[in-house]
Amino acid sequence: MLTLTSDDVLLDRHADDWRDALDQAAEALVEAGRVASGYRDGLHAREAQSSTYLGNGIAIPHGTPESREHVKTTGVRVLQFPRGIEWHDGQRVTLLVTIAAQSDEHLDILRQLTHVLDRDGVAERLAAADSREEVIALLSRAPVEARLDADTLCLGFPARDRFELALAAAARLRQVGSVDSSFVAEVNTLEPVALGQGLWLVSSARGVVTPTLGVATPEQAFVGPKGPVNAVFCLAAQGDAHRGLLERLGILLDAGDGESLADADAATLLARLSGESADADTARATVLNAHGLHARPAKQLVQVARRQRVPVKVRLLEGSGQAVSAASLTKVIGLGARRGQVLVFSAEGEGAGEALEALVAAVKDGLGEHVTPLQETPLESPAADDEPLPAPLEDDVAHPAVPASPGLAIAPVFVMRTPRFEYPERASDLDDARRGDSDAQLARLDAAIEEAAEQLRALVRTAQGGEVAEILSMHEEMLDDPELREAAHESLNTGMSAEAAWWSAIDTAARAQENLADRLLAERAADLRDVGRRVLGILCGVRLPTPPETPYVLVTDDVGPSDVARLDTSKVRGLVTARGGATSHSAILARALGIPAVVGAGERVLTLVNDTEIIVDGERGRVIPAPSAERRSRTELRLKEHEMREREAYAARHEEGRTQDGHRVEVAANLGNTAHAADAVERGAEGVGLLRTEFVFMAHPDAPDLDTQIAEYRQAIDALDGRPLVARTLDVGGDKPLPYWPLPQEDNPFLGLRGIRLALTRPEVLETQLRALLTAAGDRPLRIMFPMVKDIAEFRAAREIFDRVQAEVQAGDVQLGVMIEIPSCALLAPSLAAEVDFFSIGTNDLTQYTLAIDRGHAELSAQADGLHPAVLALIRMTVDAAHAQGKWVGVCGELASDAQAVAVLVGLGVDELSVSARQVPMVKARLRELTLATARQHAETALRQATSDAVREALEAL
């Protein structure tokens, strides 16, 4: 995706005609170094083929394929012509978005501009804009659309009048978090307005968090005192976000389809409100393209649609999206369809069937791209597949893995394997004890759900720790989800068994979450399947694996945050996973809980037999099954020494961080919540080296105001009692979305709008946060750093806001720095060091971006090791540049607590190590074992190696 900057916008231009405007656009690209002068002819040649006018006063001139040889770098220049130009097709153009494209990137610009073309008055505002920032905002701001999906529907409600239906719909909106209780109270005072055909509408803007349309239908349509009641619409209004939905509702009424909503299921109701005709033929196709319907496959789809005899519409199955013309490139790109999402095509009239077949076939064939089919999970087996396990591990042999959390453990193995559930799809094929009609299957399912809920309630009562209880309570709430039950009930009516109907509902809901390409929602999908397996185990008579009551080492394929949170740390002595890397979530959480762990040990660990004794070495990164008596004795001795070191480290936790020869290295704590600052100080932290401030924003339905933020930050600053606080400004985007800050869909959000890039698009949000931090600090030490900075220009843009606020607040002890997370920032450290006060190296992201490995990748994450010599070289460059300017450098990534890495980082000259609060005493102890000369020897040894494995082997030999 191309992102506009102020340098890309040229205001108040004048042209004699469209040719002159095109020449100016070409000249602007040449001056920017994007193209050679020959590209001008390509712009004119493209206009000779067809007009590049889009709509709303916008044209997007771009060269022909032949002119791409003149393109040096892909980019854009936006030229504003306030007086307007008559384009050669008769349209009036006020804005040229001129593109230098080395391939088909101009089609991706269409995708970004789609929302602009449909907004009233945008042409006038673009023409009248008197600042570059205003033009960028108008072109970039994605419209907020009202929510309507299966979760906002309340179908078949046993209501006696339209008022009860209105309240049921309002309660549903409250349940999904779109409104607060004041909205429900307001709806209770309102009388629904008749729309005709038995449809009614009630609307309020009070207490609205997210604009949403709720729909409630009665158990049976009825006639009330003022007419028939087929459905009541409850609108949580906010601005004009709901306008599109109401327009489609008007189309439905004009077609006379209102009465059909009374007994419609969720899919049918959403289809009607998408603008899909009740008389249309429909067909579905799953998007298989790796990057979804980006420009090239969208163009192929449009070409197929244009060849058909009848008009074809397309929409996404999920959500409330409007059915759009499949022959419109901008509309198809605007769908933002991703791999795994389902397209619904609709057409009417003679030839509709053939048209739908052609489009479905085109999607299935990949739309001009090589595609691979989605992996399907068979209904009869929600567990792992039947592939044979690899050869078992040899006894009493050290098997390598990735060190994840330091420490030693000796205990029997408990291998957490997902059980296999065997059941037929049809109820008629069940055994005699379970066979029965749909009513009998419904009774079985309801009983199993209730038993599962009771199991969860019992676990909540005995859970150790609030976080564990909270997750289990969430699972209990999932069991109460009426949509899950309704989906299962619908399948039961078709003759499916209770087992198959339940897993179909679970699997469908989980897949819908996973297909949104959102990690937070993907974790919820895993929770859904956990809940589903609990019920399925009851229905099938299969017991879910229960950990032993005695201490054990947990061995599993991989664990997510919810899995780790549920571990009973009083019994789990160690953790071993087949997958994952040193910066994976499982490793990070194991360190936070203080559990010795190794990850990425390979599938062979899953062949271990339960109760086999195993040694887990979290420092050296290895596991040893069935150790000999001699090895066990040696390990027990090491374990006792380690436990003694931990006790000694904790006793000395409040000493300054220093090496054996007195070299000072500050040891601070990473915090995700200000409430944990006091605990960090108690564990010996000399300050907070990373406060992830996004927790303040994620905990509120709207952007927190100034007073709310001041109170949050002051809590940490007060607890630190004069120790420094390093606060990272809001870092969202990527895998951390905010519900009230909608972002355009991106093919790769981790390389898109996130960190400081995103914050600079909403400078008022950044300004409020900076004001809150400076006000909360007063005269106490505060260090502020900007995340995801790529070069000096981004830092200066953010610093300009900081300087303005600081001039007003005048905090007494404040420094301004950047996080080194992007390789370009490390490479350009000398230019940054001259202007910042400090650097803080985020080794998790720096490793990910340097090695081009997603730390959550199932197969590659084990290779995402921060001790890779390429990462270490970037750290050395950063430290050298900072020290040359008298500035300090910290490391706040997980590498800072890696036992082997501590010496390397100190040897490279790092001044501060910021780790999880539990790790502070041991990191200080590790420092006391080192001399500066020894640390430098470790660093030089590491830098001479070629791979991260070689680094770790060489360090272990020292």
Side-chain angles (χ1 to χ4, degrees):
M1 175 182 284
L2 297 175
T3 302
L4 292 176
T5 67
S6 58
D7 292 337
D8 295 324
V9 181
L10 305 175
L11 298 178
D12 199 23
R13 309 288 290 203
H14 307 276
D16 297 332
D17 55 24
W18 68 271
R19 293 181 182 84
D20 183 22
L22 211 55
D23 289 345
Q24 292 185 37
E27 184 180 352
L29 289 174
V30 171
E31 291 176 351
R34 301 290 188 186
V35 301
S37 58
Y39 193 67
R40 171 195 173 279
D41 296 335
L43 292 177
H44 283 272
R46 178 62 182 81
E47 293 298 332
Q49 295 172 2
S50 62
S51 172
T52 59
Y53 178 77
L54 275 184
N56 255 346
I58 301 174
I60 58 162
H62 51 275
T64 60
E66 295 75 20
S67 65
R68 290 172 183 170
E69 63 180 1
H70 300 296
V71 177
K72 299 177 180 178
T73 60
T74 295
V76 299
R77 278 294 183 270
V78 178
L79 283 71
Q80 179 204 48
F81 295 89
R83 295 175 179 79
I85 314 155
E86 184 175 344
W87 211 240
H88 57 86
D89 60 357
Q91 301 290 346
R92 191 151 193 83
V93 172
T94 54
L95 203 76
L96 294 188
V97 181
T98 314
I99 306 164
Q102 292 174 320
S103 57
D104 283 338
E105 291 96 339
H106 66 281
L107 295 177
D108 291 317
I109 298 291
L110 292 177
R111 184 176 183 174
Q112 298 177 57
L113 295 178
T114 299
H115 65 273
V116 180
L117 305 181
D118 298 325
R119 281 160 42 197
D120 293 337
V122 71
E124 292 78 8
R125 292 197 293 275
L126 284 168
D130 56 7
S131 73
R132 298 173 177 181
E133 289 73 20
E134 184 179 358
V135 171
I136 294 171
L138 286 169
L139 291 177
S140 305
R141 189 182 304 129
V144 178
E145 295 183 356
R147 176 182 176 185
L148 169 66
D149 52 42
D151 291 337
T152 69
L153 307 182
C154 182
L155 307 183
F157 186 77
R160 294 168 295 180
D161 56 40
R162 65 188 192 281
F163 295 96
E164 289 187 357
L165 284 174
L167 273 177
R172 175 53 57 90
L173 298 187
R174 174 71 178 87
Q175 183 182 9
V176 300
S178 292
V179 300
D180 60 26
S181 55
S182 65
F183 177 88
V184 181
E186 175 83 0
V187 168
N188 194 35
T189 67
L190 301 176
E191 180 172 353
V193 176
L195 300 177
Q197 301 174 30
L199 304 185
W200 302 78
L201 173 67
V202 63
S203 173
S204 174
R206 184 177 181 181
V208 175
V209 176
T210 304
T212 308
L213 183 65
V215 186
T217 60
E219 196 169 25
Q220 288 186 337
F222 60 86
V223 177
K226 293 193 175 182
V229 178
N230 293 319
V232 173
F233 294 86
C234 182
L235 177 63
Q238 194 176 78
D240 61 354
H242 56 276
R243 187 173 64 179
L245 278 173
L246 293 187
E247 287 176 351
R248 298 196 309 259
L249 179 56
I251 294 172
L252 180 142
L253 289 168
D254 291 342
D257 292 335
E259 294 181 359
S260 67
L261 299 187
D263 56 356
D265 59 18
T268 302
L269 192 148
L270 292 173
R272 297 292 83 77
L273 290 176
S274 75
E276 192 175 278
S277 170
D279 298 325
D281 295 331
T282 62
R284 298 181 180 184
T286 301
V287 177
L288 301 177
N289 303 72
H291 301 294
L293 282 189
H294 63 94
R296 282 180 290 279
K299 184 177 180 182
Q300 294 285 330
L301 182 66
V302 167
Q303 290 174 347
V304 175
R306 289 175 179 174
R307 290 198 294 266
Q308 306 311 311
R309 290 185 292 162
V310 294
V312 181
K313 288 186 175 183
V314 61
R315 64 179 174 90
L316 288 176
L317 177 62
E318 300 90 352
S320 60
Q322 181 180 4
V324 301
S325 170
S328 168
L329 184 58
T330 57
K331 296 294 186 183
V332 171
I333 291 176
L335 290 174
R338 296 184 180 274
R339 175 175 166 85
Q341 289 189 294
V342 178
L343 302 175
V344 181
F345 296 102
S346 59
E348 295 182 72
E350 186 177 353
E354 293 85 346
L356 297 180
E357 288 179 8
L359 285 159
V360 169
V363 174
K364 185 176 181 180
D365 290 342
L367 298 168
E369 294 185 336
H370 174 72
V371 295
T372 56
L374 295 172
Q375 292 184 351
E376 298 294 338
T377 302
L379 282 175
E380 59 274 14
S381 178
D385 57 31
D386 287 330
E387 291 184 7
L389 289 172
L393 295 175
E394 296 86 357
D395 292 348
D396 195 32
V397 173
H399 299 278
V402 178
S405 181
L408 273 171
I410 310 174
V413 159
F414 172 65
V415 182
M416 180 73 80
R417 297 186 181 93
T418 304
R420 184 174 181 83
F421 302 98
E422 301 273 356
Y423 55 85
E425 184 173 348
R426 309 300 299 174
S428 58
D429 296 328
L430 288 165
D431 56 43
D432 292 341
R434 296 183 292 169
R435 190 180 300 137
D437 60 13
S438 60
D439 289 338
Q441 297 304 309
L442 176 59
R444 290 183 61 230
L445 178 57
D446 287 346
I449 292 174
E450 179 53 40
E451 183 177 342
E454 181 53 42
Q455 289 178 3
L456 288 169
R457 285 192 287 268
L459 289 171
V460 170
R461 289 192 294 270
T462 59
Q464 298 182 359
E467 186 178 7
V468 178
E470 182 180 344
I471 292 172
L472 294 170
S473 296
M474 179 186 69
H475 281 204
E476 185 183 353
E477 290 177 8
M478 287 179 176
L479 282 177
D480 289 334
D481 186 341
E483 297 299 331
L484 275 179
R485 295 196 183 206
E486 182 179 342
H489 292 177
E490 290 176 357
S491 297
L492 290 175
N493 291 332
T494 67
M496 291 179 74
S497 65
E499 294 86 345
W502 172 249
W503 188 253
S504 175
I506 288 288
D507 199 41
T508 300
R511 285 176 185 272
Q513 296 293 333
E514 290 167 335
N515 288 337
L516 293 176
D518 185 312
R519 280 190 182 170
L520 299 178
L521 295 177
E523 288 172 12
R524 183 177 182 272
D527 286 323
L528 270 171
R529 289 197 168 95
D530 283 347
V531 170
R533 290 189 182 99
R534 184 175 292 277
V535 174
L536 202 54
I538 295 169
L539 286 169
C540 296
V542 176
R543 293 180 60 85
L544 294 175
T546 302
E549 292 298 319
T550 54
Y552 63 93
V553 168
L554 177 63
V555 175
T556 185
D557 180 50
D558 198 6
V559 288
S562 60
D563 300 312
V564 175
R566 287 195 295 272
L567 295 180
D568 184 350
T569 54
S570 67
K571 295 187 178 69
V572 179
R573 292 290 184 264
L575 174 65
V576 179
T577 69
R579 294 188 292 157
T583 58
S584 64
H585 288 298
S586 53
I588 293 170
L589 288 164
R591 280 191 285 271
L593 292 173
I595 301 172
V598 297
V599 296
E603 291 186 355
R604 295 178 69 192
V605 297
L606 301 177
T607 66
L608 289 168
V609 178
N610 282 347
D611 296 326
T612 300
E613 195 169 60
I614 192 171
I615 296 173
V616 179
D617 189 335
E619 292 189 8
R620 297 180 180 176
R622 58 188 186 179
V623 295
I624 306 167
S628 64
E630 295 80 5
R631 190 190 292 271
R632 193 183 195 287
S633 297
R634 292 196 304 269
T635 304
E636 284 181 336
L637 181 60
R638 283 185 59 208
L639 184 57
K640 289 178 181 178
E641 292 173 349
H642 182 78
E643 290 172 348
M644 184 174 65
R645 284 182 61 211
E646 284 187 325
R647 289 193 297 270
E648 292 174 349
Y650 192 78
R653 66 191 184 280
H654 292 304
E655 293 182 8
E656 283 188 338
R658 290 187 182 276
T659 61
Q660 196 176 98
D661 52 349
H663 178 67
R664 181 78 168 97
V665 180
E666 188 172 307
V667 182
N670 296 335
L671 294 186
N673 192 315
T674 54
H676 300 155
D679 177 67
V681 171
E682 172 58 27
R683 293 178 184 274
E686 300 178 73
V688 170
L690 169 63
L691 176 64
R692 304 178 180 93
T693 61
E694 51 270 14
F695 82 92
V696 180
F697 292 79
M698 291 179 171
H700 294 83
D702 294 303
D705 60 20
L706 179 65
D707 291 338
T708 299
Q709 292 190 59
I710 290 174
E712 289 280 5
Y713 305 142
R714 186 169 283 156
Q715 181 180 9
I717 292 169
D718 289 346
L720 289 174
D721 192 24
R723 299 171 180 84
L725 170 72
V726 181
R728 180 179 70 191
T729 58
L730 179 62
D731 184 14
V732 293
D735 61 342
K736 296 176 286 187
L738 290 175
Y740 51 83
W741 195 337
L743 299 175
Q745 289 183 325
E746 298 176 298
D747 288 340
N748 190 340
F750 291 95
L751 298 179
L753 278 175
R754 61 171 297 199
I756 196 62
R757 302 171 185 170
L758 182 61
L760 289 174
T761 67
R762 294 275 295 275
E764 72 281 2
V765 175
L766 180 59
E767 180 172 336
T768 299
Q769 181 177 33
L770 292 172
R771 189 178 300 278
L773 284 165
L774 294 169
T775 303
D779 292 328
R780 292 171 292 185
L782 173 67
R783 317 292 179 242
I784 299 174
M785 58 185 179
F786 299 125
M788 294 298 293
V789 173
K790 75 176 188 304
D791 55 32
I792 193 70
E794 288 181 337
F795 172 71
R796 287 171 177 167
R799 185 183 61 190
E800 183 179 344
I801 300 172
F802 167 84
D803 288 343
R804 184 170 65 250
V805 176
Q806 170 65 349
E808 299 175 20
V809 179
Q810 296 185 357
D813 184 2
V814 61
Q815 294 180 4
L816 193 66
V818 299
M819 289 195 73
I820 304 293
E821 301 171 280
I822 302 176
S824 66
C825 200
L827 294 168
L828 296 173
S831 63
L832 281 158
E835 301 191 24
V836 305
D837 295 317
F838 68 95
F839 289 134
S840 183
I841 302 173
T843 53
N844 297 352
D845 272 335
L846 183 62
T847 301
Q848 179 169 246
Y849 290 126
T850 301
L851 304 183
I853 294 177
D854 182 349
R855 70 185 189 189
H857 193 283
E859 297 178 13
L860 300 177
S861 57
Q863 300 177 39
D865 190 343
L867 277 179
H868 193 284
V871 179
L872 298 179
L874 291 174
I875 294 174
R876 181 176 64 176
M877 292 176 64
T878 302
V879 172
D880 290 348
H883 287 180
Q885 296 286 340
K887 312 296 173 62
W888 63 272
V889 180
V891 170
C892 61
E894 296 300 324
L895 196 65
S897 61
D898 187 312
Q900 286 186 305
V902 169
V904 175
L905 294 174
V906 173
L908 290 173
V910 170
D911 305 291
E912 177 223 50
L913 299 173
S914 189
V915 300
S916 67
R918 284 177 177 268
Q919 298 295 329
V920 167
M922 288 301 292
V923 171
K924 285 186 174 181
R926 176 64 174 144
L927 289 174
R928 288 191 291 269
E929 296 170 352
L930 298 169
T931 65
L932 185 56
T934 301
R936 287 172 175 165
Q937 179 189 4
H938 279 67
E940 291 302 321
T941 299
L943 286 167
R944 286 195 298 268
Q945 309 309 311
T947 67
S948 54
D949 288 342
V951 169
R952 291 192 179 275
E953 289 175 7
L955 292 177
E956 190 169 344
L958 290 177

